[in-house]
Amino acid sequence: MTTRYGARRGVVVTAVTAAVCALAATAALLVPGPAGTDGTRGGEGPVDRAAAGPRVPAAAAKCQDPEASLRPAGGTDGTAVQRIKNRGWLIAGVDQNSFRWGYRDPANGRLSGFDIDLVRAIAKAILGDADKVTFLAIPTNQRIPALEKGKVDIIARTMTINCDRIKQVAFSTAYFEAGQQVLAPKDSPIKAFDDTLKGKKVCTAKGSTGESELTDESHGASVLTVPNQLDCLVRLQLGRVDAVITDNALAAGQAAQDPSLRLVGKPFTTEPYGVAMNLRDADLVRRVNEVLEEYRRGGTASAWMRAYEKWLAHELPGIPGPPVPKYKD
């Protein structure tokens, strides 16, 4: 495998890192794939919501179970699903910088990862073809605005379901469960999300749950926020920050790219990932939940387990299956 040497301590970084880091500055741009590989299209305008249906009810003042979503329902397609069918392709907001989750494979230029496989499954269920997708690369802090402004139909980008976000967007049931954790160099004195962070410089993505946790308790660290988590990895490799706070699912992929890094301490939050949609697109939420029911079905032979074994099992071993879905109706 081709390697390059980073500026920090002669770190060896794989060719995947080199290719992905070159994309770190990408923000909310259309991500077209090579003809016949990604099935992507360019030049679309915003999603038309003129005929949008009723809004998914906003969260109650006391949010006790944000993971509870709308139950799958059969029957006639609603306005959101019909909009996608009339257009002929799904518009999905994704990441192209997160190894194992959503990244541009340097070997073939194709978007790949756990989240990408899920998007393709949704496209196949709605349109009959897994390649009928336009992918938009969306920075962490632009995920909710992209849905609110109608730029995308869905966001599948390691997005945590929580009480604040369900007031702004609608979520599917959880399709993965992670937790916030600390990523640091192997020779670092940082031991966990605790007072060993005092006096250190810590990086996290703006608009992420990591930022929220550091706002509540920084443990004496100075905090740098950036648009994308990969920007934190680059700064850590260059020695400009001492640690990164992010989901352990993302951090495990980053540690796989750079063997001089490791996860320290234990996860200190619970981060259920969901597919996010516009609050008005209740019928699309139900349809995506129907896709997820099928995606989970089959135990160890399920599509979910096949994707887990392919993308995540090496860095995140021992996960027996997907989260159990929760419904509110």
Side-chain angles (χ1 to χ4, degrees):
M1 179 176 286
T2 303
T3 59
R4 71 172 177 86
Y5 289 87
R8 181 181 57 77
R9 305 181 187 88
V11 169
V12 179
V13 185
T14 66
V16 173
T17 303
V20 177
C21 285
L23 299 172
T26 303
L29 73 121
L30 186 64
V31 184
T37 59
D38 265 356
T40 53
R41 297 162 175 81
E44 295 87 357
V47 173
D48 180 11
R49 300 198 186 279
R55 291 170 64 89
V56 176
K62 290 185 178 181
C63 170
Q64 296 181 345
D65 200 1
E67 297 167 62
S69 185
L70 297 174
R71 193 173 296 277
T76 306
D77 292 328
T79 54
V81 174
Q82 194 59 54
R83 177 187 72 229
I84 295 166
K85 287 186 172 182
N86 291 343
R87 184 197 303 128
W89 59 90
L90 177 73
I91 304 177
V94 298
D95 198 349
Q96 66 171 3
N97 297 328
S98 291
F99 189 46
R100 304 295 193 193
W101 288 93
Y103 72 104
R104 181 74 67 177
D105 189 334
N108 56 26
R110 186 177 173 87
L111 278 171
S112 302
F114 191 90
D115 281 342
I116 304 303
D117 281 1
L118 178 55
V119 170
R120 294 185 189 280
I122 294 169
K124 185 174 182 179
I126 294 176
L127 298 163
D129 187 338
D131 286 333
K132 288 187 175 180
V133 184
T134 289
F135 292 102
L136 289 179
I138 305 293
T140 304
N141 64 347
Q142 291 300 308
R143 292 176 298 188
I144 290 174
L147 286 167
E148 291 178 331
K149 294 174 183 177
K151 291 183 177 181
V152 296
D153 298 305
I154 65 173
I155 293 283
R157 194 189 181 288
T158 58
M159 190 168 179
T160 300
I161 307 167
N162 62 36
C163 290
D164 288 335
R165 288 175 178 164
I166 63 171
K167 300 173 186 177
Q168 300 171 285
V169 296
F171 281 99
S172 70
T173 53
Y175 65 85
F176 194 85
E177 191 169 278
Q180 291 288 304
Q181 203 166 348
V182 181
L183 181 71
K186 287 182 176 177
D187 59 0
S188 171
I190 296 170
K191 302 301 182 185
F193 188 68
D194 59 19
D195 288 346
T196 59
L197 291 171
K198 187 175 182 179
K200 305 298 184 183
K201 193 168 188 178
V202 176
C203 185
T204 195
K206 187 172 180 61
S208 68
T209 47
E211 182 186 23
S212 298
E213 291 297 322
L214 284 163
T215 298
D216 291 341
E217 176 55 80
S218 69
H219 291 289
S222 61
V223 180
L224 171 69
T225 57
V226 295
N228 282 303
Q229 285 294 347
L230 190 66
D231 298 330
C232 286
L233 175 61
V234 173
R235 283 164 172 77
L236 186 59
Q237 291 172 332
L238 295 175
R240 295 177 182 172
V241 298
D242 301 297
V244 174
I245 304 295
T246 187
D247 297 359
N248 61 349
L250 294 174
Q254 293 173 357
Q257 292 172 262
D258 186 341
S260 75
L261 304 176
R262 65 185 177 118
L263 285 161
V264 298
K266 294 181 179 180
F268 54 91
T269 65
T270 299
E271 307 288 332
Y273 295 162
V275 179
M277 290 152 276
N278 189 282
L279 283 171
R280 293 188 180 276
D281 292 346
D283 66 302
L284 181 57
V285 176
R286 294 186 187 278
R287 187 60 181 273
V288 170
N289 282 337
E290 185 178 26
V291 175
L292 285 171
E293 286 284 351
E294 182 62 30
Y295 207 64
R296 300 181 187 102
R297 189 170 291 122
T300 57
S302 69
W304 190 97
M305 284 301 298
R306 293 197 302 271
Y308 165 72
E309 292 291 342
K310 179 180 181 180
W311 298 113
L312 306 175
H314 186 267
E315 283 82 34
L316 293 169
I319 297 176
V324 176
K326 298 179 182 180
Y327 296 109
K328 58 186 175 183
D329 61 348

